[in-house]
Amino acid sequence: MTTLRLASLRTALLLTVLTVASLIGLGPAMAAGPPVSLGEVPVLTAPNAYGPGIWHHAKQGKTWYGSYRTFPDTSSYCIDAGKKSPLPKYFKGAKADTVTSARTAWALHEYAGSKSKDVQAALSAMARLDKALPHDHKVPPQKPAGLGKKFAGVAKKYSTILAEAKKFAGPYTLDISLEPVLRMPVLEPYAAPESATSPDSWASDSKDSDRSADKDSPDKPKILGTPTDEATLTVSLTSSSGAQVPDVPIALKTAGTTKAPTTLTTGKEPVTTTLQASAPGKLSVTASAKVAPQTVRVFEPTSGTRVQRVVTPDTPDSVTDKASLELISQPKVTTEISDQTPTPGETVTDEFTVSGLIGDHTVTVEHTLWQTATAPKQGTKNDDAREIASVTSKDVGNGTHTSGEVTVPEDFRGWLYFTETIAGDKATKEWKGIHGQPRETGFVPWTPTADTEAVLEGTSTHDEVAVTGLRPGSEAVLTITAYHVETEPEQSKETAGTELSVQDFTVIADEKGHVEISTEPIDMPVGWVTYVTTIEGSDVNAEWTSDWGVPAETVHRPPEEKPSTPPAPPETPSTPPAPPEQPEQPSTPPEQPEQPEAPEKPESPPVEPVAEASESPAAPVPELPRTGTTGNGMLIGLGIVLVGLGSTILLISGSRREKD
């Protein structure tokens, strides 16, 4: 019991000694460092003096990692840790000095307005640790990572902001450029790229179009294309590290443009926009931007003792750049002839579309109509090309138009096409259209005809054909068809009858477009044969077909006659007048019947004369096959008839007498 009491007294005595030692500054706090009074003392009576942040209790005393509201319009950050808080009353009328520190300046410019305590504490740490700024620290500054768990979020923000500052801090370079927008060649039937035989110049010869080419490399080809009335504006904002600075508004002032934007915003890559010129001449752009400053403002207190100095963000810097481009109208004309199969003696026009003129610029277009006897090749002027006529279209702007009329010659055969020319001047680049573009080419074919004559020779027939109007030197195919009909044909477009033969001939026209042929003979049947001639169409000659039944192309063979009696002897034509006189003699026989009355005749036998009379007329029977009668024969026959007649009368008279 006595021992316990002694121990309690000793413990009480020790506690009393330690308390007294602590009161006089001889305790553990003295061994750990300076007294707490050396650190920043929170001003409880001015709570609005502090922005977002975190207190840190260091061995040397308290210190505030965060922003102060020393000034009403911006955040401020102490650069003398451990001194008195920079209350507004200590900085009345304070003047700022600027100190260059690009990274801290960028960080304060970008994040000073944040309401995050971690962000504000990170900015405070950057300001305290920035060796470019003056310091009078009473509490040693530390990186947030070494300030304990309470500063874990601050440490992350500190690393992020510091890395961004290294990448995006100034000084800055604003670079803008203007490049003409090129129209690349369109390889269509009505256009052609630049060639040795083409007067078109698809490759721009302007200085502007060559800006992207390496002038020190002669082997590097130029960019094909012609400038238009548009230009590409490229904007690039880079930091001191060469990185593109995004999200910075760029103000634009332009001249010589129409409907141009007034602002654009930078990105992680250079940004572009297209500007359209309002007229030929200079197109210019001035670009400007507000960027993070490279300096911070440092303020000294104007009153009080042992008060911290502070820094605030400086005002933004400005960067500008200019670019200009001289643009002239770069016209292009695409055309189409009004009729690709024109009729000689009628008119054609040039349907043409103009592009590449800047704004309301207008030009004069000269249209020339050419003719050739040989097929034109695109981009090449044929040796036989001849000008038919020219017309002019004045005050022509962008768009589609129609030229004046040009008359096609009456005797024209071959190809014809338009070319266009726009004269060059200070506002316009010259344009010359190429020869032989298919869409502006028309063709009038040669129109051959044939004169034919059908020939009949005995029992065979053939056709003689003479062709005219072919293209000189051209090849043509002729088809001659023979038709047989029983009745005489009437000329018609439609064929009829039986097809006897078809003969094809491939011919070459002479220098006058003429050729002659004869068909092979064919057997000629009885009736009519008519020929039809066809000239096949080709790429230069029109098709032609003759009518069916043309008299000159028709021949006739009549059927052969078969005689019913043998032919007369050759001597009969010598006595043709005798037969007409003999028919008058039979008129005398009626006077003969009175002779039998003579008395001396009754005894003569009547039978024999009758027999002789009956036999004598029968003698001419073998002569019946004859087709004609001679004069002597007729006299003999007549005599026999008379004798027989007389005998008959006598016989009858005698018979009557016997009865009497």
Side-chain angles (χ1 to χ4, degrees):
M1 187 68 178
T2 304
T3 305
L4 181 58
R5 288 178 178 176
L6 290 173
S8 299
L9 290 173
R10 290 175 182 174
T11 300
L13 180 60
L14 178 60
L15 291 172
T16 301
V17 172
L18 290 174
T19 300
V20 173
S22 177
L23 291 173
I24 64 174
L26 298 177
M30 180 64 73
V36 177
S37 61
L38 294 178
E40 184 177 353
V41 178
V43 182
L44 301 178
T45 59
N48 294 331
Y50 304 95
I54 302 173
W55 285 101
H56 172 59
H57 295 269
K59 293 180 180 180
Q60 295 82 1
K62 265 188 176 182
T63 185
W64 177 250
Y65 279 88
S67 63
Y68 293 94
R69 296 193 175 97
T70 305
F71 304 102
D73 55 350
T74 184
S75 297
S76 59
Y77 305 87
C78 75
I79 55 175
D80 299 323
K83 289 187 175 182
K84 289 182 179 181
S85 298
L87 301 178
K89 64 181 180 180
Y90 300 130
F91 289 87
K92 292 180 179 180
K95 301 289 186 176
D97 293 326
T98 57
V99 177
T100 300
S101 180
R103 293 179 183 176
T104 299
W106 182 88
L108 298 185
H109 175 81
E110 291 291 325
Y111 292 100
S114 174
K115 295 181 179 180
S116 169
K117 64 180 181 179
D118 291 340
V119 171
Q120 293 293 353
L123 295 178
S124 177
M126 287 187 67
R128 292 182 184 188
L129 295 171
D130 189 350
K131 295 180 179 179
L133 300 177
H135 298 287
D136 185 16
H137 295 306
K138 302 304 179 183
V139 176
Q142 291 179 269
K143 292 182 179 180
L147 298 178
K149 294 181 179 180
K150 188 167 58 173
F151 283 81
V154 179
K156 291 181 180 180
K157 293 296 183 182
Y158 177 84
S159 297
T160 300
I161 295 173
L162 184 59
E164 291 178 348
K166 291 179 180 179
K167 182 178 181 180
F168 297 121
Y172 300 97
T173 301
L174 177 62
D175 181 58
I176 67 172
S177 63
L178 285 170
E179 293 291 338
V181 174
L182 302 181
R183 180 192 301 108
M184 302 308 292
V186 179
L187 301 182
E188 294 187 11
Y190 57 85
E194 182 183 24
S195 65
T197 57
S198 171
D200 285 338
S201 179
W202 287 93
S204 173
D205 57 2
S206 67
K207 295 180 181 179
D208 296 323
S209 62
D210 294 337
R211 288 180 61 180
S212 58
D214 185 3
K215 296 181 180 179
D216 297 331
S217 177
D219 296 332
K220 187 173 182 179
K222 293 181 179 180
I223 298 176
L224 289 178
T226 55
T228 63
D229 60 347
E230 295 179 335
T232 299
L233 172 65
T234 303
V235 178
S236 171
L237 179 64
T238 55
S239 65
S240 61
S241 68
Q244 293 288 330
V245 182
D247 304 322
V248 177
I250 306 294
L252 301 176
K253 291 183 179 181
T254 61
T257 63
T258 178
K259 298 181 181 179
T262 57
T263 61
L264 56 79
T265 303
T266 61
K268 295 180 180 180
E269 298 292 336
V271 295
T272 61
T273 188
T274 301
L275 304 179
Q276 187 173 24
S278 58
K282 181 180 288 187
L283 186 155
S284 62
V285 179
T286 300
S288 61
K290 296 291 185 180
V291 294
Q294 301 176 55
T295 60
V296 295
R297 294 186 292 178
V298 179
F299 290 89
E300 296 276 353
T302 55
S303 62
T305 56
R306 300 183 69 248
V307 177
Q308 299 179 25
R309 290 172 295 179
V310 294
V311 295
T312 63
D314 202 353
T315 56
D317 284 343
S318 295
V319 288
T320 61
D321 194 23
K322 295 180 180 180
S324 64
L325 182 64
E326 198 73 31
L327 288 179
I328 63 173
S329 289
Q330 303 276 344
K332 177 184 177 182
V333 181
T334 57
T335 68
E336 184 172 356
I337 195 169
S338 60
D339 187 355
Q340 290 193 320
T341 57
T343 301
E346 297 187 358
T347 60
V348 292
T349 58
D350 190 11
E351 309 293 330
F352 65 104
T353 300
V354 178
S355 60
L357 299 178
I358 297 177
D360 296 329
H361 186 203
T362 61
V363 293
T364 297
V365 181
E366 189 79 15
H367 311 263
T368 302
L369 185 63
W370 300 84
Q371 65 176 359
T372 63
T374 55
K377 295 181 179 180
Q378 184 173 339
T380 302
K381 181 180 178 182
N382 291 4
D383 292 337
D384 63 346
R386 299 292 182 270
E387 181 179 335
I388 296 176
S390 294
V391 291
T392 301
S393 300
K394 296 182 178 180
D395 297 326
V396 173
N398 288 329
T400 301
H401 314 274
T402 301
S403 73
E405 295 180 342
V406 178
T407 301
V408 180
E410 289 282 356
D411 59 348
F412 178 78
R413 299 292 184 272
W415 290 265
L416 71 171
Y417 56 84
F418 279 103
T419 60
E420 298 75 32
T421 302
I422 299 176
D425 54 32
K426 66 178 182 179
T428 312
K429 185 176 181 180
E430 181 185 43
W431 166 269
K432 288 184 178 180
I434 66 174
H435 286 251
Q437 292 191 33
R439 287 183 59 179
E440 60 182 2
T441 299
F443 176 65
V444 179
W446 277 261
T447 53
T449 58
D451 291 328
T452 65
E453 183 178 358
V455 179
L456 177 63
E457 294 179 341
T459 59
S460 66
T461 179
H462 69 277
D463 199 17
E464 301 285 344
V465 182
V467 180
T468 58
L470 291 169
R471 179 194 171 198
S474 66
E475 181 180 276
V477 176
L478 309 183
T479 301
I480 294 91
T481 306
Y483 296 89
H484 173 251
V485 290
E486 298 292 342
T487 58
E488 184 175 1
E490 293 183 4
Q491 186 170 338
S492 171
K493 295 292 183 183
E494 301 294 330
T495 60
T498 302
E499 191 177 281
L500 291 181
S501 77
V502 178
Q503 299 183 42
D504 293 329
F505 299 87
T506 300
V507 298
I508 303 296
D510 61 18
E511 66 278 3
K512 295 182 179 180
H514 179 266
V515 68
E516 294 183 1
I517 61 167
S518 294
T519 64
E520 294 293 329
I522 61 174
D523 291 337
M524 177 68 192
V526 173
W528 281 264
V529 170
T530 185
Y531 289 90
V532 174
T533 300
T534 297
I535 304 173
E536 291 186 9
S538 66
D539 57 347
V540 294
N541 296 316
E543 182 181 2
W544 182 86
T545 301
S546 65
D547 286 348
W548 181 87
V550 175
E553 295 192 28
T554 304
V555 291
H556 175 236
R557 179 184 175 187
E560 294 182 357
E561 296 182 359
K562 294 181 180 180
S564 59
T565 57
E571 63 272 11
T572 55
S574 61
T575 58
E581 296 177 357
Q582 296 301 326
E584 297 178 358
Q585 294 179 1
S587 61
T588 58
E591 298 177 359
Q592 298 294 331
E594 296 179 358
Q595 293 179 2
E597 295 178 0
E600 62 271 14
K601 296 295 181 177
E603 294 181 358
S604 60
V607 178
E608 291 179 1
V610 172
E612 291 176 0
S614 62
E615 290 177 2
S616 59
V621 174
E623 299 297 327
L624 291 175
R626 292 185 179 183
T627 59
T629 306
T630 62
N632 293 332
M634 291 181 66
L635 292 175
I636 293 171
L638 182 59
I640 292 172
V641 171
L642 292 176
V643 171
L645 182 60
S647 297
T648 301
I649 294 172
L650 289 176
L651 180 60
I652 294 171
S653 299
S655 296
R656 285 179 179 178
R657 287 177 181 177
E658 288 178 358
K659 290 178 180 181
D660 294 340

